[in-house]
Amino acid sequence: MTATVSTVVDRVGDRRPDVTRIPLSRAVRVELRKMFDTRAGFWLIASIGITGLIATVATVAFAPDADLTYYTFAKAIGFPITVILPMVALLSITSEWSQRSGLTTFTYVPDRRLVIGAKTLTSIAVAVASMLFAFAIGAVGTVVGSTVAGVPEVWDVSLGHALTIVLGNLTCLLTGTMLGMLLRSSAGGMVTYFVITLLVPTMSGLLAASQQWFADLQPWVDLNYAQSFLFDGMQTGAEWAHIASTVAIWIVLPGILGLRLVMRSEVH
Amino acid sequence: MITIDSLTKRYGAFTAVHDITFTARPGRVTGFLGPNGAGKSTSMRMMVGLTTPTAGSVTISGRRFADLPNPGREVGVMLDASAQHAGRTGREILTIAQQVIDIPARRVGEMLELVSLTESEADRRVGGYSLGMRQRLGIAAALIGDPQVLILDEPANGLDPAGIRWMRDLLRDYADHGGTVLLSSHLLTEVEIVADDIVMIGQGRLVCQGSKAELLQAAGTVVRATDLPALQRALATAGITASVTEDGALRTDAEPTAVGAAAYDGGVPLTELRTADSGGLEEMFLELTADTQRETHRERAAA
């Protein structure tokens, strides 16, 4: 208790001419830091790298020689990423409520859109970095795998296809962002995410198989179905329209509602 | 300066805060006093934009909180010291604040020293902190931006007696340097030691407000004599109504001057004459919040 206020609080009562608005870049930098500065956050993102390596090794070990192509690797490494990235995006938002840190976050930055915007950009940055990592490690896997198996290297992912895979991952990620805003609860968000990604597609498939009217409607309303166009790399104009329609229904509209709730909700 | 004007918050039919108006002035510590559930925390959350008021407004140095370009540089806020990510270290929490509000990194170390958190404590995760340590960290986070205004909800909660003393000295010093301090408490003794001004609320309504000196004066006069009946007669002769306190003194709403004169006229030697102290204010606190206190309701229900 040696220090007193007067030694560290120098200018109490002064106006602050040097105080400027908090820029987005600073908010992004801080949110990026917050994504890594807890054990849970660190290991969640580290798990992207870890599962990527495991997937690569497993592909080399178990995939038939004929399938040791770049696409096989990219797909194997990409699968865990499509699950983890939405969690990263979701938890970065919900932890402000579940861990109650929002009480300080939103008093330092009262403009909640700035905080949410920074979190979304940060999640996207982590996603893009993860995808680059996946493509790189997939390339290593392809070279190593084909050498081990004694088959020629097959580079069967075009740049365009790689971009749509990134885009597909971003739709998964933004589903997490949307749920984070909409529910503001870590547990609730995760459960809902798996309902949306696992249960809804199954039910949608069953319904489409038995009801002709839904079979026609499905591409327009089934997000998972439309996402497969992005991951499989076969898009026609109609499929792009399906992607736009499902993203609007499942991500954009609920996302706008979620943002409104974030703006209005009371932070306890 | 914090200006609260007709602040109201309703949740459906329930009114949590009803039409509260007061000002916390620079250079003074304003105690925001009320029993649990009186609406103190809701009011404070509205001051910093975490809860939207149903009606009324709050300005800080003339501006709404949401309009402050970088609030952490102008208002230090601690609403709930436990509301932190349990997985972050104390140092990390201050570092995040330092980066968000864009101040030199050395402030983190300075603040840790100010609130007496050691290096090893600062590097532990706050999930393992005691409530007292969290309060200290919360104070550090509130002061790190060198603000002119402090808004603290129950800052003395969980502090040991030495910690309470330290907090009191710190806030006194801060106000003496021109800062504005608004602190809430449900404990009168805590507030009256440090506060210059007191605002009391009960069931969301403003019960009374004023400087501590004024309120103490309003709490009346305590007078004592060896010959109690003679003193009672002397006061009655002068038209002063008084009641006997538990410890055999008389308490009255009259001024000490009038009481002294009455005793002199009646020829009664006094052993004590003073304005009612904390006890008086406490009595007023209990009295003023009587119909808003949970205990009273329970007693009545039991009776």
Side-chain angles (χ1 to χ4, degrees), chain B residues 73-88:
Chain B
R73 299 285 300 278
E74 314 201 35
V75 192
V77 181
M78 183 182 74
L79 294 187
D80 184 344
S82 297
Q84 289 293 356
H85 197 299
R88 293 200 176 102

Side-chain angles (χ1 to χ4, degrees), chain B residues 207 251 280-292:
Chain B
V207 179
R251 191 187 158 277
L281 198 54
E282 178 148 38
E283 214 165 283
M284 187 172 70
F285 177 51
L286 291 173
E287 206 175 284
L288 288 172
T289 57
D291 37 325
T292 66

